[in-house]
Amino acid sequence: MGAEGDIFGEVKRYHLTTFGCQMNEHDSERMKGMLESLGYTEAPERAEADLILFNTCSIRESADSRFIAHLGEAKRLKREQPGRVVGVGGCWAQSVKEEVFARFPFVDVAFGPGQVHKLAEFLTSDSLTAQGYFEFEGFTGHLPARRTRPFQGWLQISVGCNCACSYCIVPSTRGREVSRPLAELVAEVEAMSADGVREVTLLGQNVNSYGRDLRIDGRPASFSELLQAVDAIEGIERIRYTSPHPKDMREDVVRAHAELRSLCEHIHLPLQSGSSRILKAMRRTYDRQRYLDRVALIREHVPDVALTTDIIVGFPGESEEDFAETLEVVEEVRYDSAFTFIFSPRRGTSAAELTEGLVPHPVKVQRMERLLEAVQRHARERAQRFVGRTMEVLVEGPSRTDPERMRGRTRHNKVVNFSGLATPGELTQVRIDGASSQTLSGEESLLARVAG
Ligand code: 5AD
Ligand code: SF4
């Protein structure tokens, strides 16, 4: 059914729900931009939309089940008003492909992560049958974006992943790694900057292997070269990136954090496990010592860096000793924050086939609790080093807990709630007077404001 199946009058309205990672946030901004250029406006509620869209994730089972519950509501809304169009994009759609129509017959259009532009084709065609689009065809960079915050932009530098982590569904949903040409990325950031973007986050499944598949004057491009090129762009005050792989975290990238003005003092370095035996089973291609060497190199060049990580507990075969090694690494590195996950078998991955040494659920939960205790303790302790300092904060909006106060982020990626006069999009100086594991609090330095 085409978009002319409009049920609420002339203006077509869409509602989009995004699940998953920042790559999906990015794709959703492109979807919104594209829909608005087609004349759609955003509906505040799903029930008010004539185009109901989901941008899905498949990384863990919990992501699947959360989304399926939302899809149930779309089914009901479509039954009430059959003129509605229901679309499902992203990694879950890609991982089940055409099966989506058999399992959920009310879905009109489904598309994988490389197929965002096909949504427009579908909506502007007179197609009366359900359509699925799953071949990767290109980046969404050329599509217009509707940014959630006008001063923060995403830059998709590559798609796909050549790693073979045994637990991960991404290589099967996003395919082999393809990097975008450096000149194209620079032009995109220049356009963002002209548009008012001050902070750009470089996105890829494995950002620091960027460029190996490219040739500039016969040689590959490198991630540090890209960082330098983006740093040189006028108006860009902050650069972030996610996620790097420890195996590709070379000295040139570490040095860039010390040398480039706008590259933030924050590195997210996914550990996954502190046991070399489990890392091998995960096919991470580094061991505990190599990981710790990278951390030492980072701390040598950027002593005040904020380090964050991802850790999985309960991978098949993880013994108490293996888990204790993970805890040891956590104690040694002292992360500023960490995302912790219970292993979730994903369809099509080799870890899902493992049958030996499966960790019983209560043991997984208990390990998770022990890990969280350590992670939160370090996060709280590490945050204390900011108390008493005056730090640069990019203002994002009002505080979520107290509308009288503002909320922003330091270069270390710490959320700060503060009182002051600054408005969203501004960079200001905040004197930090309190720190918990999650957030900092403070007061805007009005002196700096007058002087600035
Ligand atoms: N089970 C649990 N956690 C997973 N992650 C990826 N795949 C799985 C899985 N099957 C975690 C990893 C990754 C983060 C984005 O999600 O820690 O870094
Ligand atoms: Fe989820 Fe991974 Fe897809 Fe991001 S790339 S949406 S985390 S499955």
Side-chain angles (χ1 to χ4, degrees):
M1 174 143 333
E4 65 274 20
D6 176 14
I7 55 175
F8 295 108
E10 284 305 301
V11 181
K12 296 170 229 138
R13 306 226 280 172
Y14 72 89
H15 185 272
L16 168 61
T17 314
T18 308
F19 301 87
C21 63
Q22 287 156 321
M23 195 68 94
N24 269 18
E25 302 278 341
H26 162 271
D27 284 351
S28 286
E29 288 189 353
R30 299 287 177 179
M31 275 188 223
K32 289 184 180 187
M34 192 180 71
L35 290 169
E36 291 181 13
S37 71
L38 290 177
Y40 282 78
T41 59
E42 189 167 11
E45 303 288 337
R46 197 173 284 151
E48 292 168 30
D50 32 10
L51 170 62
I52 297 176
L53 282 175
F54 298 95
N55 195 8
T56 61
C57 171
S58 205
I59 194 87
R60 288 171 295 274
E61 212 175 325
S62 53
D64 281 12
S65 40
R66 222 171 323 137
F67 156 64
I68 303 285
H70 283 262
L71 199 53
E73 196 203 335
K75 179 182 182 183
R76 181 176 59 74
L77 292 170
K78 172 116 183 171
R79 202 182 317 120
E80 285 171 10
Q81 198 51 267
R84 281 192 164 105
V85 174
V86 177
V88 180
C91 292
W92 177 85
Q94 183 73 30
S95 74
V96 298
K97 296 200 181 156
E98 306 288 346
E99 224 182 280
V100 66
F101 301 114
R103 285 171 61 188
F104 306 100
F106 54 92
V107 171
D108 299 285
V109 56
F111 48 99
Q115 292 294 38
V116 167
H117 58 288
K118 287 283 186 184
L119 175 63
E121 199 174 289
F122 176 83
L123 293 171
T124 51
S125 76
D126 294 328
S127 171
L128 289 174
T129 54
Q131 294 288 330
Y133 306 99
F134 302 107
E135 289 303 309
F136 175 74
E137 273 184 357
F139 293 95
T140 49
H142 61 285
L143 299 173
R146 215 217 50 206
R147 298 193 178 90
T148 308
R149 298 198 188 98
F151 48 91
Q152 288 172 328
W154 306 115
L155 181 71
Q156 187 183 19
I157 67 169
S158 59
V159 69
C161 184
N162 291 353
C163 299
C165 302
S166 60
Y167 51 81
C168 187
I169 197 168
V170 172
S172 75
T173 58
R174 300 227 175 208
R176 301 279 300 167
E177 185 171 293
V178 183
S179 305
R180 289 174 68 194
L182 201 136
E184 191 179 311
L185 294 174
V186 168
E188 195 171 314
V189 179
E190 282 169 350
M192 280 187 201
S193 171
D195 237 17
V197 169
R198 308 190 80 180
E199 177 180 280
V200 58
T201 302
L202 279 45
L203 295 176
Q205 250 66 50
N206 178 2
V207 281
N208 49 357
S209 69
Y210 168 82
R212 285 189 199 152
D213 54 327
L214 296 176
R215 289 292 172 271
I216 305 177
D217 303 331
R219 61 168 183 84
S222 75
F223 184 55
S224 62
E225 199 177 345
L226 173 64
L227 290 172
Q228 275 176 34
V230 175
D231 181 68
I233 296 170
E234 188 93 22
I236 297 299
E237 307 281 352
R238 289 180 171 192
I239 305 173
R240 302 185 184 281
Y241 58 83
T242 195
S243 282
H245 192 300
K247 79 173 163 64
D248 297 314
M249 200 64 195
R250 283 194 298 259
E251 187 162 346
D252 56 341
V253 176
V254 175
R255 278 179 179 279
H257 280 269
E259 290 164 5
L260 301 180
R261 179 190 56 86
S262 47
L263 188 57
C264 289
E265 292 77 21
H266 169 219
I267 298 181
H268 184 73
L269 199 64
L271 169 69
Q272 312 303 3
S273 169
S275 150
S276 296
R277 207 177 66 81
I278 295 297
L279 285 169
K280 191 156 190 207
M282 288 176 163
R283 297 210 209 105
R284 290 289 287 170
T285 69
Y286 55 85
D287 63 11
R288 170 195 170 115
Q289 196 50 51
R290 265 185 68 194
Y291 183 92
L292 290 173
D293 290 347
R294 297 294 145 115
V295 170
L297 185 74
I298 292 169
R299 290 241 158 97
E300 181 194 325
H301 288 283
V302 200
D304 188 42
V305 72
L307 273 179
T308 60
T309 198
D310 291 342
I311 299 172
I312 299 176
V313 299
F315 187 82
E318 182 188 73
S319 66
E320 179 54 33
E321 291 72 39
D322 293 315
F323 176 66
E325 291 195 45
T326 297
L327 283 181
E328 275 169 31
V329 173
V330 167
E331 293 297 336
E332 189 167 336
V333 176
R334 307 181 69 235
Y335 293 104
D336 289 84
S337 141
F339 296 111
T340 51
F341 308 102
I342 287 184
F343 170 72
S344 164
R346 306 311 290 132
R347 57 190 159 263
T349 63
S350 62
E353 310 287 308
L354 297 173
T355 49
E356 298 215 347
L358 298 186
V359 182
H361 191 69
V363 177
K364 285 183 182 165
V365 172
Q366 190 236 25
R367 285 183 190 165
M368 180 67 142
E369 283 168 3
R370 289 160 65 198
L371 179 62
L372 273 177
E373 183 281 320
V375 160
Q376 280 167 3
R377 175 163 39 83
H378 289 300
R380 206 168 38 243
E381 284 171 16
R382 292 276 297 157
Q384 303 310 313
R385 76 185 189 283
F386 299 124
V387 175
R389 281 164 66 173
T390 297
M391 306 195 75
E392 183 200 274
V393 169
L394 178 61
V395 186
E396 293 185 345
S399 152
R400 289 189 185 153
T401 46
D402 177 358
E404 300 288 297
R405 281 157 70 83
M406 298 303 290
R407 173 195 153 99
R409 228 169 256 271
T410 65
R411 289 172 60 98
H412 295 82
N413 208 32
K414 277 280 174 193
V415 170
V416 188
N417 291 306
F418 66 97
S419 45
L421 303 171
T423 53
E426 270 190 276
L427 281 169
T428 188
Q429 297 289 325
V430 174
R431 192 176 152 78
I432 308 299
D433 57 24
S436 70
S437 61
Q438 298 291 327
T439 54
L440 305 176
S441 62
E443 251 176 69
E444 189 181 3
S445 163
L446 294 178
L447 208 63
R449 198 171 172 76
V450 172

